[in-house]
Amino acid sequence: MPAVIKDNEFSLLGHKPALYVLFFTEMWERFSYYGMRAIFVLFLTAPFSKGGWEWSNERALGLLGIYTSTVYLTPIIGGFLADKFLGYQKAVALGALAMTLGHASLAFETEMMFYVGIGFLIIGNGFFKPNVTSIVSGLYDKYPERKDGAFTIFYMGVNAGGFLGVLLCGFIASNMAYSFGFGLAGIFMLMGLLQFWFGRSIFGEVGKEPSKKIDLSDAIAESEPVEEKVPADVQTDRYIVVGILAFLVVFFWAAFEQASGSMTLFARDFTQRALEGNAAITFKVIDTLITIVPLGIITWVLFKLFGQTFNKISLSNMFLATSFAGIWAIALWKLSIILPKDTAEIEASWFLILNSLFIIGLAPLFSKIWESKYNPSAAIKFAMGMILLGLGFAALAYGASTIPQGAKTATVSVIWLVLAYLFHTMGELCLSPVGLSYVSKLVPAKKIGVMFGIWYIAIATGNYLAQLVGGSIDSIVEQYSMSGFFLIFTIVPATVGFILILINNWIKKMMHGVH
């Protein structure tokens, strides 16, 4: 039975004001994470004359693979420690502090401090990621019917932060120095920490103390499992389905995560990023709109939050206001540089914002499809995700077909990268959000934590393989072609997708009624 709603409890755009405090906390964390990732490989592989370290692509992508895979493993430990010893609030603050130190360490641009920084970021992510979502869930424990909507708003913070981080950290790194890009990520992570810590009273008792019951599912993601008596043979079949989907999801992430690796290198070295004439004007208009409009919407939410919480958490709101004043100043400074010029040059990192933009635009459409009579089965959704991912790389393979074998630079149209990110985002929307949902439906509640752990190990493996294979880009291009390199990521996911279509009926049978 739903709990009785208190007056004004859901007073901010239909939700609790505390949710928006977490929205902004998560936004600054994603700002720092994606902002740093956008310039990570570019910095390591750039020549000394351009402020980089001139690492080989293989070495740089290898380090990226270690980082991006490990951040999917440490939340298992961070969630457990928060449950048993720290409580969610302290764990989030500790994670944010560690990540702040991590970004600051990267900004020193010495090899030892770079490795120290990555270590801090991995540890900090483990404490932060699972526990901030646990606080969101705890705020809505008495109102489960509102939890889906709360998480939808919360994950908009993920996309807003990722989008702004890539846009601004990438621009500063390109126009000033990489150390400033890493430093900017650290500054806003610090502001997110201060905003959260001084606003934590708004969460009440949620996450204040360790839980009495330890549930490893909190270490990974939120779910609402319902216990049901399932025959042993039926549950065995469902475990098999989870195992198959977890194995196949490795192939998805191994291709998808080329975005911050080989696709960013392709954008830097092989695309026509210098624009003039109508192309330059068009880009300036698009870049201005995607800089100002999202910031304007988020600032409007900010003022709404101030109106309801300033007296309760005034210091937190002051840190948040300072953060936004800084963001607006950087955004307007950015536009003051690019708009007066007759030409335009797109930063190589800029293309990474397309994923967040396409998610914001397409997620409501895909959500409507999944809720309609056209909602396909799990295997078909996964197959669609794989095939769309392959189509994105097919666009890149076609666009790269004019690059001579062994070439070090080229001027391929950026439209192929845009199309690739569009198809990749559609593929992600078919597979990523529904994956954990199916895990929670197919396994009993007492096994949720273990199975989520297996799922995230699969994602971690995919992330590691992404950069392991991506690191071979130079040798593959030299021996075959750039088009051949992208065809690998066309053929493998598409093949997996068609296999899933062929075994769709068998998988549906093995799921025993779960849809």
Side-chain angles (χ1 to χ4, degrees), residues 275-292 334-335 337-346 350:
L275 307 176
E276 55 186 25
N278 289 335
I281 294 172
T282 301
F283 172 73
K284 288 178 185 180
V285 171
I286 293 172
D287 194 49
T288 301
L289 288 174
I290 63 177
T291 300
I292 296 299
K334 169 183 177 287
L335 295 177
I337 291 176
I338 66 171
L339 291 179
K341 296 180 180 178
D342 294 328
T343 59
E345 182 167 349
I346 309 173
W350 184 90

Side-chain angles (χ1 to χ4, degrees), residues 70-80 122 125-127 129-131 216 218-220 456:
T70 311
V71 294
Y72 280 98
L73 301 179
T74 51
I76 300 173
I77 301 170
F80 176 81
I122 291 169
N125 181 80
F127 282 108
K129 188 178 179 69
N131 297 310
L216 284 181
D218 285 340
I220 308 296
Y456 272 83

Side-chain angles (χ1 to χ4, degrees), residues 364-426:
L365 172 62
F366 278 78
S367 179
K368 288 292 184 184
I369 294 172
W370 302 156
E371 294 170 2
S372 73
K373 63 180 181 179
Y374 300 107
N375 182 26
S377 65
I380 295 300
K381 285 176 185 172
F382 273 60
M384 290 168 59
M386 293 287 186
I387 293 169
L388 286 165
L389 181 66
L391 284 173
F393 281 107
L396 285 177
Y398 179 79
S401 60
T402 58
I403 301 175
Q405 181 180 344
K408 300 297 183 184
T409 59
T411 53
V412 174
S413 171
V414 298
I415 191 64
W416 303 113
L417 264 176
V418 175
L419 284 173
Y421 277 108
L422 174 61
F423 282 119
H424 290 182
T425 302
M426 290 193 292

Side-chain angles (χ1 to χ4, degrees), residues 9 22 72 96 106 138 163 194 196 231 309 345:
E9 191 168 3
L22 295 170
Y72 280 98
L106 298 183
F163 160 77
L194 295 172
F196 172 83
T309 65
E345 182 167 349

